Amino acid sequence: MSTPARPARSGGSSAIGWVLTIGLNVVAPILTYNTLTEDHGWSEFSALLLSGAWPVLDTAVMAAWRRKIDEFAMVTLVFLVITAVVSLVGPHTARALLVKDSAVTGLFGLLCLGTLVAPRPLMFYFGRKFATDGTPASTAWWNGMWQYEGFRATMRTMTLVWGVAYVTEALVRVALAYVLATRTMVTLSPVMIYSVLGVLGVWTAWFGKRRAAEGARRQAEAEAAAASGAATA
């Protein structure tokens, strides 16, 4: 059975989504922290805590734009709640908040690993978020790909790699939080998160294309073998 063709994707819609994600999750939190601490005399802890409101806005904008909250958004909201709760317990210092923030990304890595035993791993939903433009046609195409064993194996492998990578990243950030100055970590922490995300994104795109090419090759070989068998019958 041949795999269905991928629907045309809206490049403009995807670009806007990425600009909003980077702007509200990286640029805005750093600018907010620096402005509050340098120009308004806020404590490092208070400024860092308020900076976390931008990712919440990102989730709200995406939900309003798509007119629905998908599994990706639900995971994001759950982790935002966990971050807020964790930030209010234990020592109220900027360093402690940075450590707790690192622990949350480590928890994301553990969640990835945990979903390997679920019906569908987490990267299936993340892939649907970023490999499609959110339209019904592209979403249905992605969901339909789950019937293929090669696709399922690819999603599980990606989930394993992402889980291990983010657990490792969290451990490194926790160690750095005790070595570097808070101001340095406020800038470095989101850079580390999204640098790891960027590396994983590049690897994921490369791995996905390689697996797709392998699948297409096997399909062509099977079709050729079937045609040869029919000709000799």
Side-chain angles (χ1 to χ4, degrees), residues 95-197:
R95 174 169 291 171
L97 190 58
L98 287 168
V99 170
K100 294 170 185 176
D101 184 55
S102 302
V104 170
T105 59
L107 184 59
F108 169 75
L110 293 176
L111 177 63
C112 285
L113 299 177
T115 60
L116 290 173
V117 298
R120 298 188 183 188
L122 191 59
M123 283 304 111
F124 170 82
Y125 300 107
F126 275 48
R128 189 172 66 187
K129 171 72 174 181
F130 293 106
T132 72
D133 58 7
T135 60
S138 61
T139 299
W141 166 78
W142 184 264
N143 292 340
M145 291 296 292
W146 186 254
Q147 64 185 297
Y148 302 104
E149 189 279 331
F151 181 82
R152 297 194 297 270
T154 298
M155 292 298 103
R156 293 190 174 104
T157 300
M158 289 178 177
T159 301
L160 174 63
V161 172
W162 279 64
V164 172
Y166 266 111
V167 168
T168 303
E169 180 270 347
L171 293 175
V172 172
R173 274 203 299 141
V174 168
L176 291 177
Y178 285 100
V179 175
L180 302 178
T182 299
R183 182 173 299 279
T184 301
M185 279 303 298
V186 167
T187 300
L188 182 60
S189 186
V191 170
M192 286 183 63
I193 294 174
Y194 286 95
S195 293
V196 171
L197 177 61

Side-chain angles (χ1 to χ4, degrees), residues 10 46 62 78 94 130 134 154 156 165:
S10 172
S46 299
M62 289 300 178
V78 167
F130 293 106
T154 298
R156 293 190 174 104

Side-chain angles (χ1 to χ4, degrees), residues 15-26:
I16 292 173
W18 276 107
V19 169
L20 286 173
T21 296
I22 299 300
L24 295 177
N25 286 276
V26 179

